[in-house]
Amino acid sequence: MSDQHTHTHTAPTGPASSAAADTAEAFWDERYNQSGRLWSGDPNAALVRETEGLTPGSALDLGCGEGGDAIWLARQGWRVTATDISRVALGRAAEHAAQAQVADRVDWQHHDLGASFPAGSYDLVAAQFLHSLHEMPREQILRGAAAAVAPGGTLLIVGHMGFPAWETEPHPGVDFPTPQKVLASLELAADQWDVLVCDTHEHSLTDPEGQPSTRTNYTVKAQRRTPED
């Protein structure tokens, strides 16, 4: 099973932002502490598929969790900056990177993405399943992700279209936008970007009872043009 998950990485800005951030961080720290490993450690299938053919360079992984995607990218030759709101997850990810012998290729950073964002520009910026059970300025974060893409670089956003079929108590406050809405919210300048993918796809997975199931996800992929384009 791949690390397809719903992450909480940030909290709203404003007077209550500090308390909200503490709540989100505590939620994820507690969840990670409930088991020795929350995710499979395998890279997300969409990341593998959509980065095929890209020349490894610098990559930014937003919401890295226990590091499955970041470690896979590092193994492919990327220099990775990986961030998460959970210090527990980051500590675990660093251990996994050391075990995979790629610790020197990944910079693990703790960020509440609504309040701080990794510095620099990157050849690949990936946000995999950046959803939240708490209020989150998601559009603001994804526009920040787009701004961090270097000329000639790639922006990759993958998300869920809804809760899995077996979810009996869905959270009504969680937003699952369409890929078209995500693309529109990025406000990409038409003369500076080429949209390569904006579509949905079915992902096969196993439900808690061990039965085969599917979940609809989406992919938005765009490339920033170079000045020569």
Side-chain angles (χ1 to χ4, degrees), residues 43-52 61 68-70 72-73 124 126 128 156 158:
N44 282 300
L47 176 72
V48 175
R49 179 178 67 248
E50 299 299 339
T51 58
E52 182 178 3
D61 181 11
D69 287 344
W72 181 84
L73 286 168
L124 171 67
Q128 308 285 304
L156 178 62
V158 180

Tab-separated table of all heavy atoms in Angstrom, residues 43-52 61 68-70 72-73 124 126 128 156 158:
chain	number	residue	atom	x	y	z
A	43	PRO	N	6.867	5.075	-1.922
A	43	PRO	CA	6.530	6.376	-2.510
A	43	PRO	C	5.136	6.349	-3.095
A	43	PRO	O	4.628	5.296	-3.493
A	43	PRO	CB	7.584	6.548	-3.602
A	43	PRO	CG	7.901	5.139	-4.016
A	43	PRO	CD	7.847	4.343	-2.730
A	44	ASN	N	4.486	7.495	-3.135
A	44	ASN	CA	3.179	7.586	-3.772
A	44	ASN	C	3.305	7.290	-5.262
A	44	ASN	O	4.222	7.772	-5.936
A	44	ASN	CB	2.583	8.979	-3.557
A	44	ASN	CG	2.003	9.136	-2.163
A	44	ASN	OD1	1.096	8.414	-1.786
A	44	ASN	ND2	2.545	10.075	-1.401
A	45	ALA	N	2.358	6.504	-5.760
A	45	ALA	CA	2.413	6.061	-7.152
A	45	ALA	C	2.410	7.237	-8.126
A	45	ALA	O	3.106	7.212	-9.151
A	45	ALA	CB	1.242	5.122	-7.446
A	46	ALA	N	1.629	8.270	-7.832
A	46	ALA	CA	1.566	9.421	-8.731
A	46	ALA	C	2.905	10.139	-8.798
A	46	ALA	O	3.298	10.632	-9.864
A	46	ALA	CB	0.469	10.379	-8.283
A	47	LEU	N	3.613	10.213	-7.681
A	47	LEU	CA	4.927	10.844	-7.678
A	47	LEU	C	5.888	10.067	-8.578
A	47	LEU	O	6.618	10.652	-9.394
A	47	LEU	CB	5.479	10.907	-6.255
A	47	LEU	CG	6.900	11.467	-6.133
A	47	LEU	CD1	6.923	12.961	-6.381
A	47	LEU	CD2	7.493	11.148	-4.759
A	48	VAL	N	5.889	8.759	-8.446
A	48	VAL	CA	6.762	7.921	-9.268
A	48	VAL	C	6.422	8.099	-10.744
A	48	VAL	O	7.303	8.290	-11.586
A	48	VAL	CB	6.636	6.442	-8.855
A	48	VAL	CG1	7.446	5.550	-9.786
A	48	VAL	CG2	7.074	6.250	-7.399
A	49	ARG	N	5.129	8.054	-11.047
A	49	ARG	CA	4.680	8.159	-12.443
A	49	ARG	C	5.016	9.524	-13.047
A	49	ARG	O	5.523	9.607	-14.169
A	49	ARG	CB	3.173	7.919	-12.498
A	49	ARG	CG	2.571	8.033	-13.892
A	49	ARG	CD	1.078	7.746	-13.874
A	49	ARG	NE	0.310	8.762	-13.161
A	49	ARG	CZ	-0.318	8.547	-12.013
A	49	ARG	NH1	-0.266	7.366	-11.421
A	49	ARG	NH2	-0.999	9.523	-11.425
A	50	GLU	N	4.746	10.581	-12.312
A	50	GLU	CA	4.857	11.923	-12.882
A	50	GLU	C	6.279	12.478	-12.876
A	50	GLU	O	6.546	13.483	-13.537
A	50	GLU	CB	3.922	12.888	-12.148
A	50	GLU	CG	2.452	12.529	-12.239
A	50	GLU	CD	1.916	12.509	-13.669
A	50	GLU	OE1	2.542	13.147	-14.554
A	50	GLU	OE2	0.882	11.863	-13.909
A	51	THR	N	7.191	11.863	-12.147
A	51	THR	CA	8.579	12.331	-12.166
A	51	THR	C	9.441	11.496	-13.106
A	51	THR	O	10.630	11.798	-13.277
A	51	THR	CB	9.204	12.310	-10.760
A	51	THR	OG1	9.135	10.979	-10.223
A	51	THR	CG2	8.481	13.276	-9.829
A	52	GLU	N	8.855	10.479	-13.717
A	52	GLU	CA	9.613	9.665	-14.667
A	52	GLU	C	10.103	10.555	-15.817
A	52	GLU	O	9.343	11.305	-16.418
A	52	GLU	CB	8.745	8.538	-15.209
A	52	GLU	CG	9.474	7.610	-16.170
A	52	GLU	CD	8.601	6.470	-16.665
A	52	GLU	OE1	7.396	6.445	-16.302
A	52	GLU	OE2	9.118	5.631	-17.408
A	61	ASP	N	9.592	18.619	-0.804
A	61	ASP	CA	8.477	17.726	-0.473
A	61	ASP	C	7.691	18.351	0.667
A	61	ASP	O	8.170	18.415	1.803
A	61	ASP	CB	9.029	16.352	-0.073
A	61	ASP	CG	7.939	15.345	0.273
A	61	ASP	OD1	6.749	15.628	0.012
A	61	ASP	OD2	8.276	14.271	0.809
A	68	GLY	N	8.613	8.689	3.077
A	68	GLY	CA	8.611	7.740	1.966
A	68	GLY	C	8.931	8.373	0.625
A	68	GLY	O	9.762	7.860	-0.135
A	69	ASP	N	8.270	9.492	0.312
A	69	ASP	CA	8.501	10.160	-0.967
A	69	ASP	C	9.891	10.785	-1.025
A	69	ASP	O	10.603	10.673	-2.028
A	69	ASP	CB	7.450	11.249	-1.206
A	69	ASP	CG	6.083	10.689	-1.550
A	69	ASP	OD1	6.001	9.499	-1.905
A	69	ASP	OD2	5.099	11.449	-1.467
A	70	ALA	N	10.283	11.476	0.030
A	70	ALA	CA	11.573	12.163	0.051
A	70	ALA	C	12.722	11.175	-0.097
A	70	ALA	O	13.693	11.427	-0.825
A	70	ALA	CB	11.718	12.968	1.338
A	72	TRP	N	12.600	8.193	-1.478
A	72	TRP	CA	12.584	7.658	-2.836
A	72	TRP	C	13.224	8.649	-3.804
A	72	TRP	O	14.036	8.262	-4.658
A	72	TRP	CB	11.158	7.331	-3.266
A	72	TRP	CG	11.090	6.764	-4.654
A	72	TRP	CD1	11.272	5.454	-5.021
A	72	TRP	CD2	10.855	7.489	-5.875
A	72	TRP	NE1	11.164	5.321	-6.387
A	72	TRP	CE2	10.916	6.552	-6.928
A	72	TRP	CE3	10.607	8.830	-6.162
A	72	TRP	CZ2	10.728	6.917	-8.261
A	72	TRP	CZ3	10.423	9.198	-7.484
A	72	TRP	CH2	10.481	8.252	-8.521
A	73	LEU	N	12.873	9.935	-3.688
A	73	LEU	CA	13.463	10.947	-4.544
A	73	LEU	C	14.981	10.990	-4.365
A	73	LEU	O	15.739	11.093	-5.342
A	73	LEU	CB	12.860	12.318	-4.247
A	73	LEU	CG	11.434	12.559	-4.752
A	73	LEU	CD1	10.860	13.829	-4.135
A	73	LEU	CD2	11.389	12.651	-6.279
A	124	LEU	N	11.795	20.696	-8.519
A	124	LEU	CA	10.543	19.963	-8.315
A	124	LEU	C	9.951	20.367	-6.981
A	124	LEU	O	10.646	20.328	-5.958
A	124	LEU	CB	10.789	18.451	-8.331
A	124	LEU	CG	9.610	17.553	-7.919
A	124	LEU	CD1	8.477	17.634	-8.946
A	124	LEU	CD2	10.060	16.102	-7.737
A	126	ALA	N	6.678	19.231	-4.741
A	126	ALA	CA	5.615	18.236	-4.681
A	126	ALA	C	4.797	18.389	-3.411
A	126	ALA	O	5.349	18.490	-2.314
A	126	ALA	CB	6.204	16.822	-4.755
A	128	GLN	N	1.823	16.186	-1.855
A	128	GLN	CA	1.058	14.961	-2.005
A	128	GLN	C	0.001	14.871	-0.895
A	128	GLN	O	0.338	14.761	0.285
A	128	GLN	CB	1.984	13.742	-1.914
A	128	GLN	CG	3.188	13.801	-2.849
A	128	GLN	CD	2.822	13.520	-4.285
A	128	GLN	OE1	2.245	12.485	-4.618
A	128	GLN	NE2	3.149	14.457	-5.150
A	156	LEU	N	4.038	19.647	-8.778
A	156	LEU	CA	3.204	18.450	-8.770
A	156	LEU	C	2.324	18.448	-7.528
A	156	LEU	O	2.823	18.434	-6.402
A	156	LEU	CB	4.074	17.187	-8.792
A	156	LEU	CG	3.335	15.858	-8.744
A	156	LEU	CD1	2.431	15.678	-9.963
A	156	LEU	CD2	4.319	14.698	-8.627
A	158	VAL	N	-0.955	16.415	-5.849
A	158	VAL	CA	-1.812	15.228	-5.898
A	158	VAL	C	-2.719	15.251	-4.678
A	158	VAL	O	-2.262	15.547	-3.562
A	158	VAL	CB	-0.970	13.935	-5.915
A	158	VAL	CG1	-1.874	12.705	-5.977
A	158	VAL	CG2	0.009	13.937	-7.090
